[in-house]
């Protein structure tokens, strides 16, 4: 990608007085061989003077806020004075420092017996997500993804976890209003010499078997290009979302891909009150090459509650 996206690491220009103007940051981390997955995410609502977010880490032994390995996605923190998008320390101790724009970031955290000492480093360029979808545009005026590697150490109540994994990050800005939120998945996979990302949405009801790709990228042979078409087809459902699906996509260079993903049960993430995300470690088979990544299965909160209560079923 040749576009200059150097502004992505800073607060967005052209902010209006909309109280829902949002400046978001997200990094993933995982220990795939132990089926441990995690993320740190935060977002500023500068017109409200607010900062939300923090780290979460989970495995199959606990997939809810109250029994995950760790969860402090903290609401209603005041925006720190002088904070920058990638140079800030939150009230809950999360500290992020940009070491090199678009390339390297230091992440620290120390609270409640949970410590993070991590560095994220890019292994590919940024990709700007341009969907053309009105609903998605209402949640972010500008949005990028970037493949990388996360390395360092996490400690939890005396146990040390060595982190050395592929990792995606994203950042965005713009008014974020969820009234038109659809149902679908945001997913990605990374290997040593290739990666992909896709956003798929469906109108078939909660977790329909087919979802249309509305954005993303393919990176192969050192070249990244945007997806122009694609679809996700669910092969198997788990309790709260897909447990296996195939993704087919084509990019602007005419390259096509088919990847099959095995999706872990995942964290039932309720940080957003108006929608629910099942956030899962994902293992992909793309041309016989294993890619690690994740799947963020999202839906409005009310139908998810109906699903959890057994009042509706997946795929209906």
């Amino acid at each position: 990608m040749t576009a200059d996206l150097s502004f992505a690491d800073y607060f967005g220009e052209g902010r209006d007085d909309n109280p829902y103007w949002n400046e978001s940051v997200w990094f993933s981390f995982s220990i795939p061989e132990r089926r441990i997955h995690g993320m740190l995410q935060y977002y500023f609502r500068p017109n409200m003077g607010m900062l939300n977010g923090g780290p979460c880490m989970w495995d199959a032994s606990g997939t809810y806020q109250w029994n995950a390995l760790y969860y402090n996605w903290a609401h209603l923190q005041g925006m720190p004075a002088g904070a920058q998008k990638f140079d800030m320390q939150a009230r809950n101790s999360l500290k992020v420092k940009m070491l090199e724009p678009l390339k390297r970031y230091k992440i620290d955290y120390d609270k409640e017996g949970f410590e993070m000492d991590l560095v994220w480093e890019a292994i590919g360029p940024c990709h700007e997500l341009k969907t053309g979808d009105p609903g998605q545009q209402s949640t972010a005026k500008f949005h990028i993804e970037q493949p990388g590697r996360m390395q360092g150490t996490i400690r939890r109540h005396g146990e040390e976890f060595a982190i050395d994994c592929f990792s995606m990050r994203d950042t965005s800005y713009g008014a974020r209003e969820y009234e038109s939120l659809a149902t679908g998945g945001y997913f990605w996979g990374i290997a040593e010499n290739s990666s992909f990302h896709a956003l798929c949405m469906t109108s078939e009801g909660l977790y329909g078997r087919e979802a249309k790709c509305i954005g993303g990228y393919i990176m192969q042979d050192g070249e990244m290009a945007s997806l122009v078409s694609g679809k996700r087809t669910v092969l198997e459902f788990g309790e709260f979302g897909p447990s296996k699906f195939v993704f087919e996509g084509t990019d602007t260079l005419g390259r096509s891909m088919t990847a099959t993903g095995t999706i872990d049960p995942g964290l039932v993430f309720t940080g957003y009150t108006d929608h629910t995300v099942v956030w899962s470690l994902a293992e992909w088979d793309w041309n016989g090459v294993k890619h690690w990544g994740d799947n963020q299965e999202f839906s409005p909160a009310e139908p998810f509650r109906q699903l959890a209560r057994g009042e509706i079923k997946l795929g209906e």
Side-chain angles (χ1 to χ4, degrees):
M1 307 296 288
T2 58
D4 179 10
L5 296 174
S6 58
F7 62 90
D9 281 343
Y10 302 92
F11 288 135
E13 295 184 357
R15 187 174 95 213
D16 58 23
D17 60 359
N18 188 326
Y20 299 104
W21 183 275
N22 193 83
E23 301 270 359
S24 73
V25 172
W26 163 72
F27 295 91
S28 75
F29 63 88
S30 60
I31 308 175
E33 63 274 16
R34 295 183 60 176
R35 316 307 289 190
I36 291 174
H37 199 42
M39 58 92 169
L40 61 105
Q41 183 197 44
Y42 59 93
Y43 67 79
F44 297 94
R45 288 280 171 87
N47 293 334
M48 295 182 180
M50 186 173 69
L51 170 63
N52 284 356
C56 309
M57 187 169 85
W58 63 92
D59 63 9
S61 69
T63 57
Y64 298 94
Q65 172 180 340
W66 44 269
N67 68 355
L69 289 170
Y70 190 75
Y71 186 104
N72 190 13
W73 201 90
H75 289 271
L76 303 179
Q77 300 173 91
M79 184 171 172
Q84 298 298 315
K85 200 167 191 178
F86 288 90
D87 187 0
M88 69 91 191
Q89 182 164 352
R91 183 184 177 95
N92 66 357
S93 86
L94 177 65
K95 184 178 181 181
V96 177
K97 177 73 174 178
M98 179 167 57
L99 303 178
E100 189 175 355
L102 303 184
K103 291 186 179 180
R104 296 178 69 236
Y105 308 83
K106 182 71 175 70
I107 298 156
D108 293 283
Y109 183 88
D110 187 356
K111 188 177 177 68
E112 303 171 321
F114 189 80
E115 302 172 48
M116 306 176 77
D117 180 3
L118 302 171
V119 173
W120 188 95
E121 185 164 359
I123 60 172
C126 295
H127 175 262
E128 184 177 358
L129 181 65
K130 296 181 179 180
T131 69
D133 179 79
Q136 176 62 19
Q137 288 175 343
S138 72
T139 68
K141 179 179 179 181
F142 171 80
H143 196 293
I144 64 105
E145 287 77 31
Q146 187 174 23
R149 183 181 289 275
M150 188 76 84
Q151 294 178 302
T153 303
I154 292 176
R155 296 177 183 87
R156 177 185 178 272
H157 300 301
E159 182 177 5
E160 187 167 299
F161 300 85
I163 304 297
D164 186 359
C165 62
F166 293 118
S167 168
M168 190 72 80
R169 78 167 183 127
D170 76 17
T171 185
S172 73
Y173 66 77
R176 181 164 291 196
E177 302 181 56
Y178 288 113
E179 282 79 0
S180 60
L181 185 76
T183 300
Y186 173 106
F187 53 90
W188 56 274
I190 305 175
E192 199 65 45
N193 298 305
S194 56
S195 68
F196 72 94
H197 163 257
L199 172 62
C200 291
M201 292 187 179
T202 180
S203 58
E204 294 181 6
L206 190 63
Y207 304 138
R209 289 194 176 271
E210 288 204 353
K212 179 183 177 182
C213 177
I214 63 169
Y217 76 80
I218 293 173
M219 185 170 179
Q220 282 184 307
D221 303 320
E223 191 162 14
M224 179 181 282
S226 298
L227 287 163
V228 292
S229 65
K231 68 175 182 177
R232 183 190 79 170
T233 305
V234 177
L235 304 177
E236 298 173 15
F237 282 109
E239 183 179 10
F240 292 133
S243 59
K244 188 173 185 178
F245 63 76
V246 61
F247 173 70
E248 302 164 272
T250 302
D251 69 13
T252 56
L253 300 178
R255 300 178 300 183
S256 295
M257 66 167 290
T258 301
T260 301
T262 301
I263 314 300
D264 278 12
L267 177 74
V268 179
F269 179 74
T270 55
Y272 312 113
T273 57
D274 44 16
H275 68 286
T276 302
V277 182
V278 181
W279 212 307
S280 302
L281 180 69
E283 180 179 344
W284 303 93
D285 181 345
W286 178 15
N287 291 337
V289 177
K290 184 181 294 186
H291 290 63
W292 288 105
D294 78 10
N295 180 59
Q296 299 165 31
E297 199 71 18
F298 53 86
S299 76
E302 180 54 26
F304 188 88
R305 280 189 287 268
Q306 291 179 282
L307 170 67
R309 291 175 59 81
E311 297 168 358
I312 59 176
K313 295 181 180 180
L314 288 169
E316 296 182 356

